[in-house]
Amino acid sequence: QQQQHQGEQPDNDGQSQGHDLALRLHFGMNGSLQVNNIGTKPRTTYNSQQYDMPTLEITFESKILRTYQTSISIPINAKAPRMKFMRLSTHDVCNSAFTIRNVLDQLQSPSLHISPDALISDVLLDQNILPGIGNIIKVEGLHEARIHPKRMLSSMSSNELSTAILACQRYAMKWFTDGRAPWKMVYNQTICGTCKEISVRICRVGGTNRTTFWCSRCQPMNANVQVHSISNTITPFNTNDQITTKKDSNGTAELATIYPKKICPNHGPNKVILRRCKKSGDNEQRIFYTCKERGCNYFCWADTNFPSCKCGKRAVLRVSKTDKTGGRWFFFCARRGMKVTGCGYFLWTEKKYLDRYGQLLTPLL
């Protein structure tokens, strides 16, 4: 306010001007916005009944705006953000002015200096090309388009590129209009929501180094490989009783194995989730069933059928995130990581250990 009244010159970083100030808010992964008490008001912790204090509160004549868990840069020169907003309005996947042709023209422009070896994963996350696309949107959009995230831009046709971008836009707009993320087919999944196989792979991809998920069956690296059709309708995988089938030596299906779904005695089966024990001690890293309803005390260990390591403790289940084996689950010594090296136990997990969890088992558990 003092700068506005006195018309001072820009501050030391040369960004802000007294007559044209703006706030820059960064919402990160957990930030949220309320207008007149409409919107998300986050709790301090998952099971807490207490709410966070707002990071920022602005009172207008008829509205009160509050933000939570945001970082704020003040003041900044408002001219540059306004110009950037206007320049990228036709590239923003959540803007009504978005046009795929403008994006494709920019990607083909020599002034953009995009390497032909650039990965489609990096291109989609470049906010100077496609503002509004985040990592989850990238992952789900590429899955719908049946495109491997490690494909190079130079290997993709204009039709493939358009398909990928428009798939990302549809997912982003559904998230925007519904106010919550749509169902995830591969992001943080073990079983692909499309082919229903344990075929989801995970590793850090590209120069952005973001954790990326894809289905090895639905999204082959070779664009010429024929894959099964993918429905345009996003439908959740049925996580009632988990059923698997075995085949004999002749390929004939045998009797299915049925794993009854865990049931919370207070809220039923659909509220049960898997969690990992994060507290230091003998049970650190073990997984357990609990209820997602706040205040519910339902608890049941989910690893009672796991093998034991050489230390005599129940082995811990984790997922590989390396380039070669990302997405494969394995058992390792429960004492490793507890400020000791443990016994060195390691064993790739068989499918029979994973089937019982269905969609409850997620890589970011």
Side-chain angles (χ1 to χ4, degrees), residues 66 68 95 115 144 195 213 264 293 301 313 317:
R66 298 183 182 93
Y68 298 86
N95 194 315
S115 169
E144 182 184 330
C195 66
F213 301 81
C264 171
E293 285 292 322
W301 287 116
K313 297 178 67 64
L317 179 67

Side-chain angles (χ1 to χ4, degrees), residues 38-322:
I38 298 175
T40 303
K41 187 177 182 181
R43 289 178 167 87
T44 53
T45 60
Y46 178 77
N47 286 318
S48 174
Q49 299 300 318
Q50 297 181 338
Y51 293 91
D52 277 350
M53 295 294 293
T55 309
L56 174 70
E57 181 174 304
I58 302 177
T59 302
F60 300 94
E61 289 185 358
S62 59
K63 289 182 173 61
I64 298 178
L65 181 148
R66 298 183 182 93
T67 68
Y68 298 86
Q69 298 182 21
T70 53
S71 60
I72 307 172
S73 299
I74 52 174
I76 64 169
N77 187 343
K79 182 177 180 181
R82 285 198 189 101
M83 292 180 63
K84 183 178 181 180
F85 175 78
M86 296 300 295
R87 176 172 57 86
L88 294 176
S89 60
T90 58
H91 294 241
D92 186 341
V93 293
C94 291
N95 194 315
S96 59
F98 172 82
T99 57
I100 186 66
R101 173 44 54 192
N102 284 2
V103 176
L104 295 178
D105 288 345
Q106 184 183 13
L107 289 173
Q108 296 169 358
S109 172
S111 62
L112 197 59
H113 304 297
I114 296 182
S115 169
D117 295 333
L119 301 184
I120 181 60
S121 292
D122 289 337
V123 172
L124 292 175
L125 290 180
D126 191 331
Q127 298 301 292
N128 287 315
I129 300 175
L130 286 161
I133 293 183
N135 195 44
I136 297 176
I137 297 171
K138 174 204 76 177
V139 167
E140 293 299 322
L142 287 175
H143 178 72
E144 182 184 330
R146 290 180 278 183
I147 293 174
H148 196 289
K150 294 184 180 180
R151 288 275 303 276
M152 290 189 295
L153 194 63
S154 58
S155 73
M156 297 178 60
S157 65
S158 295
N159 182 59
E160 287 180 311
L161 193 56
S162 298
T163 300
I165 294 172
L166 291 175
C168 289
Q169 186 207 18
R170 284 192 293 273
Y171 194 89
M173 284 303 300
K174 184 168 180 56
W175 194 337
F176 179 72
T177 54
D178 291 352
R180 60 182 179 180
W183 183 262
K184 301 176 183 68
M185 305 295 274
V186 288
Y187 185 87
N188 195 25
Q189 302 296 320
T190 299
I191 299 174
C192 171
T194 298
C195 66
K196 307 298 187 291
E197 295 289 337
I198 302 178
S199 52
V200 176
R201 298 294 174 255
I202 171 178
C203 73
R204 295 186 179 275
V205 172
T208 55
N209 202 34
R210 299 298 300 274
T211 300
T212 301
F213 301 81
W214 71 96
C215 175
S216 58
R217 294 186 72 246
C218 300
Q219 298 165 258
M221 187 66 172
N222 185 348
N224 296 320
V225 174
Q226 194 73 22
V227 296
H228 53 277
S229 61
I230 295 180
S231 171
N232 290 327
T233 304
I234 299 177
T235 55
F237 183 77
N238 183 4
T239 56
N240 287 329
D241 293 347
Q242 307 304 328
I243 303 175
T244 62
T245 58
K246 296 180 179 179
K247 293 183 179 180
D248 59 22
S249 58
N250 297 321
T252 304
E254 297 180 350
L255 185 64
T257 302
I258 301 177
Y259 297 102
K261 189 176 179 182
K262 291 294 180 180
I263 299 176
C264 171
N266 301 314
H267 303 101
N270 294 328
K271 297 293 184 178
V272 174
I273 56 177
L274 268 180
R275 294 282 186 191
R276 188 179 295 279
C277 182
K278 302 295 178 64
K279 294 182 180 179
S280 299
D282 292 340
N283 293 321
E284 186 176 358
Q285 298 298 314
R286 292 183 64 183
I287 59 175
F288 59 91
Y289 295 105
T290 187
C291 180
K292 61 183 177 182
E293 285 292 322
R294 299 183 188 276
C296 182
N297 295 322
Y298 172 70
F299 175 92
C300 179
W301 287 116
D303 59 357
T304 53
N305 66 320
F306 287 2
S308 298
C309 67
K310 299 174 184 177
C311 298
K313 297 178 67 64
R314 202 175 305 281
V316 169
L317 179 67
R318 300 293 292 187
V319 66
S320 171
K321 298 177 184 177
T322 66

